[in-house]
Amino acid sequence: MTPDFIRESLDALGKRDADIAKALGLVGYPEPRNREPGFGALLNIVAAQQVSTASASAIRARLLAAVDPLTPENFLAASDVTLRAVGFSRRKVEYGRGIAEAMRSGLLDAERLAAASDDEVVAALTALRGLGRWSAEIYMLFSLRRPDVWPAEDLAIQEALRRLKGLELRPARAASEIIVESWRPWRGVAALFLWHYYKGAP
């Protein structure tokens, strides 16, 4: 997604939703968060699970320094000691090796994922240990750049939506999907904005 596409989509959403229009006036437009599709993107998603954004960035930097280039083959060749030293837990090492083996064997293919429907991408990725629905949605949003993907289980998205709409509680998936139904076909762009709003709203 380009900056122009994000801006145009949010301007259109602002005309539909006064809360978005008001929030845009407060925090402005988010930057794109595009990632190259493939093994590295999936491994980055695993690295980001259950850690802060700063910690995930540090882990990614150490991983790229230790496993260069970051390919399935090189990741599989790296020792557990090396991977634990960059910040991967024992379980994340297992998850990463499972993803690497699936991509090396052809069971998981980046080009096939890019051509698949949203439901097919979710099914293919969640079949692997360590990748749940949130992981699949983040991959579709950042790497496949699909503008209508809604990562409803992301806690920051839930909190930002709660603030935006003045809700008492963070909305779970079913409730949030009702709230954002009118944001189609730009729910993914709205998610980018909500992360931005979460960090920058006064």
Side-chain angles (χ1 to χ4, degrees):
M1 287 182 273
T2 66
D4 285 346
F5 179 82
I6 290 171
R7 180 178 291 270
E8 290 166 5
S9 300
L10 287 172
D11 285 345
L13 284 174
K15 293 176 181 178
R16 295 184 188 178
D17 190 310
D19 293 322
I20 288 183
K22 180 180 178 181
L24 276 170
L26 291 173
V27 300
Y29 299 89
E31 294 295 320
R33 297 176 68 172
N34 300 330
R35 305 288 185 269
E36 285 300 312
F39 176 66
L42 291 170
L43 207 57
N44 285 342
I45 291 169
V46 170
Q49 292 171 354
Q50 299 180 326
V51 299
S52 69
T53 301
S55 294
S57 296
I59 291 169
R60 284 193 291 266
R62 291 194 296 267
L63 178 64
L64 290 172
V67 184
D68 183 25
L70 184 57
T71 63
E73 292 77 13
N74 286 347
F75 189 86
L76 288 168
S79 69
D80 285 2
V81 172
T82 296
L83 298 176
R84 293 294 301 276
V86 305
F88 270 47
S89 65
R90 179 181 58 80
R91 185 152 293 179
K92 286 185 178 182
V93 171
E94 293 175 3
Y95 295 162
R97 292 198 188 284
I99 296 167
E101 184 56 46
M103 298 203 82
R104 184 175 70 170
S105 69
L107 177 65
L108 190 68
D109 180 81
E111 291 186 4
R112 288 202 305 270
L113 284 178
S117 69
D118 289 357
D119 287 344
E120 289 168 340
V121 173
V122 170
L125 293 181
T126 57
L128 300 174
R129 291 185 67 225
L131 295 177
R133 187 178 182 91
W134 175 86
S135 299
E137 289 167 343
I138 294 300
Y139 185 78
M140 288 190 290
L141 187 56
F142 293 169
S143 295
L144 301 185
R145 303 171 194 180
R146 299 188 180 182
D148 197 40
V149 172
W150 177 245
E153 293 163 8
D154 187 275
L155 292 179
I157 291 290
Q158 292 177 1
E159 175 60 18
L161 187 60
R162 185 195 69 78
R163 294 180 195 171
L164 183 78
K165 292 298 180 181
L167 305 175
E168 185 174 342
L169 300 173
R170 293 175 183 168
R173 177 177 291 277
S176 74
E177 286 180 344
I178 293 171
I179 294 169
V180 306
E181 178 63 27
S182 65
W183 294 356
R184 291 179 182 271
W186 304 297
R187 293 177 303 168
V189 181
L192 292 178
F193 175 70
L194 287 175
W195 277 308
H196 179 60
Y197 178 73
Y198 174 78
K199 294 178 180 178

